[in-house]
Structures are given as structure tokens and as C-alpha cells.
Amino acid sequence: MKVPVIDITRFIKDDLTQQVLELKKKDIKLKLVNILIGETPEQLAYVKMKQKLAREFGIEMEFIHMKEPPAFLQFANLLKDKSQDPLVHGVVMEQPLPSSLQSDTIYNFIPLTKELEGRRKKTEFLPPVGMA
């Protein structure tokens, strides 16, 4: 018996497209904030992939690129400010963060509903590795 092949990528894209369309019908335009500290070619390539997908789905993406690590408090305030903006629906921090910003509490500056990477306890989101 031949087992049917399921194109998981197509399934996820179709599902996401439908969800975005449903939100647009409610006059909700999704906006994500993507933060990158540093400029390794791998990180920049990953951000470009995310930007391409966001455009494909009609999701606005604000890209904040910091070439040098900011002070912890400055970064925490940036996370708070962006995540408290009612027009922002999610905040993503590219990994790895510089050692001066890595802490178990850095994600606490983003509300559970906007921390899309699933790094906080009690989150409704699955971490990307867990989804794989």
C-alpha cells in the first residue's frame, strides 16, 4: 500500500494564508517586529527569508538591525516599547543573542501573546525546533 505524501510546507502556508485572510476581513493587518543584533551572513540570510515570507502572506515586518549590542536596559526597553504597541502582533529576536543580553528573563519583556518563539513557560506557541 502506498502512503500518500503530505506536503507539510504547503499545508502550513495554506493554513497561514487562510488565517491572515480571516484577520484582514476583520480589518486586522498583522505586523511583526524582527530584531537582529550583529550581522553574520547566516543571520542576515535568515532575516531575508522571513521578510520574503512576510511579504508573501501580506504581513508587515519591521526589521530592527543593531550592529553592536545595546546595554541590557536599553534592549529591554526596546522590547517593552515594541511589544506594547497595539499595532504590533509579534516580536522575534534573532538568535543567538550576544552574551551581554542572554538571560532567562529577557523574554519576559514581551507579553505571552506576542512572544511567538515559544521560549516562555505557559506560552501557547511551540518553539520552531519543537514544531520540526
Side-chain angles (χ1 to χ4, degrees), residues 16-80:
L16 185 56
T17 298
Q18 190 60 40
Q19 289 182 48
V20 171
L21 287 173
E22 291 298 319
L23 290 170
K24 284 182 179 180
K25 286 179 187 176
K26 297 176 183 177
D27 208 27
I28 298 171
K29 183 168 171 48
L30 292 176
K31 179 179 179 181
L32 301 176
V33 173
N34 188 287
I35 303 169
L36 170 62
I37 301 168
E39 51 187 336
T40 67
E42 297 82 13
Q43 288 174 310
L44 290 168
Y46 199 56
V47 168
K48 283 184 182 182
M49 285 189 297
K50 289 179 182 180
Q51 289 172 324
K52 180 183 174 199
L53 281 171
R55 277 192 306 276
E56 195 177 304
F57 292 114
I59 298 170
E60 180 183 349
M61 181 182 275
E62 178 182 348
F63 177 46
I64 299 172
H65 187 189
M66 304 170 139
K67 293 181 181 181
E68 298 295 323
F72 186 89
L73 190 55
Q74 177 189 1
F75 189 60
N77 285 330
L78 171 69
L79 294 175
K80 260 174 59 175

Side-chain angles (χ1 to χ4, degrees), residues 7 12-13 15 23 38 43 48 56 59 67 69 71 94 99 111 119 128:
D7 184 348
I12 292 171
K13 283 183 173 184
D15 184 56
L23 290 170
Q43 288 174 310
K48 283 184 182 182
E56 195 177 304
I59 298 170
K67 293 181 181 181
E94 293 301 323
S99 59
R119 297 187 183 267

Side-chain angles (χ1 to χ4, degrees), residues 85-114:
D85 181 342
L87 299 177
V88 171
H89 298 89
V91 178
V92 175
M93 293 182 282
E94 293 301 323
Q95 299 296 318
L97 288 173
S99 59
S100 61
L101 298 175
Q102 286 184 359
S103 80
D104 292 338
T105 61
I106 196 70
Y107 282 93
N108 291 338
F109 292 97
I110 305 171
L112 278 173
T113 57
K114 295 185 181 186

